[in-house]
Amino acid sequence: MQAPPNAVGQHAFGYLVPGRPPQYSDCFQQIEAAKWSIDIENSQQIRDVVVFLSQPLSLPGMGMSCYITGPPFEQWHFIGAITNESPSGVFRVRWPKDEAAPTAARLGISIEPLQQIEAQQATIPSSELVDFGKFVAKDLWNYLESFEVMHQHGQFLLSLFDKWMKRFENRCRHDPFWWLTRRD
């Protein structure tokens, strides 16, 4: 379903960087019928972006996906989405590991079907949590390497770490928030 021109009204949505004034939809540049973008100044200092609807979307089954990109403004990274049911969100801005925080950034908003949005959102927490798990495992491994037992049983322990990491990745894929519901 394609969003019609003028699918959103003036001040229909906006964004803000904490500590800065909000910018509304009339400040965005409309790129296509259902896509807008805005340049963000001093982007190196940005950790989070708040995006919000100030009036409901009039298109059933649709929401607004939020993307960010740096120069040359070609590769967009999905950071989150807002819908009529969840009209605002605080989205962590993370650049891929092979990219440094750019000196300039552009926020993109796109009206998309809810099914497409849900599929994109499903990848965010699990991939971040898996990266965190790998970081913790590597830190623990480095610590354990300082002990004599590692020199004697290192291969065996490495195989246990590999099994644990696969288990951790599977749990994150099936339920990214499993660790929040644990009671032990």
Side-chain angles (χ1 to χ4, degrees):
M1 177 179 194
Q2 186 79 326
N6 304 325
V8 297
Q10 188 176 17
H11 296 296
F13 64 90
Y15 92 98
L16 67 89
V17 171
R20 300 184 189 181
Q23 300 290 313
Y24 292 94
S25 53
D26 58 333
C27 295
F28 283 69
Q29 176 184 0
Q30 189 163 7
I31 303 166
E32 294 177 17
K35 293 184 179 184
W36 298 263
S37 72
I38 191 168
D39 291 338
I40 303 174
E41 296 177 18
N42 300 320
S43 62
Q44 313 89 305
Q45 302 167 3
I46 297 173
R47 298 181 132 246
D48 300 300
V49 174
V50 178
V51 182
F52 56 89
L53 287 172
S54 49
Q55 55 188 264
L57 285 173
S58 60
L59 303 165
M62 303 294 271
M64 289 185 146
S65 289
C66 306
Y67 299 88
I68 197 145
T69 186
F73 306 115
E74 295 170 353
Q75 188 173 0
W76 293 89
H77 306 286
F78 178 79
I79 57 172
I82 53 177
T83 64
N84 286 340
E85 293 73 33
S86 182
S88 64
V90 179
F91 306 122
R92 177 71 43 151
V93 175
R94 289 196 169 89
W95 300 102
K97 290 179 179 73
D98 57 342
E99 294 181 27
T103 56
R106 186 170 290 159
L107 176 66
I109 305 290
S110 177
I111 296 178
E112 297 175 354
L114 292 176
Q115 296 85 357
Q116 182 178 336
I117 290 171
E118 289 169 4
Q120 291 182 93
Q121 285 180 315
T123 65
I124 291 178
S126 61
S127 63
E128 289 179 2
L129 193 55
V130 167
D131 287 347
F132 176 71
K134 287 178 181 176
F135 174 80
V136 169
K138 184 176 178 171
D139 185 62
L140 178 59
W141 182 261
N142 290 338
Y143 173 73
L144 291 174
E145 276 187 321
S146 67
F147 294 98
E148 184 64 31
V149 70
M150 290 298 288
H151 300 289
Q152 298 167 359
H153 305 287
Q155 274 310 103
F156 172 71
L157 294 175
L158 182 58
S159 70
L160 290 177
F161 261 73
D162 286 341
K163 287 179 185 176
W164 173 83
M165 195 64 221
K166 287 177 184 162
R167 180 176 167 257
F168 185 82
E169 288 175 0
N170 284 333
R171 289 180 93 175
C172 291
R173 262 189 241 106
H174 294 293
D175 179 10
F177 303 105
W178 62 269
W179 53 275
L180 290 173
T181 58
R182 292 194 54 137
R183 302 253 188 261
D184 53 322

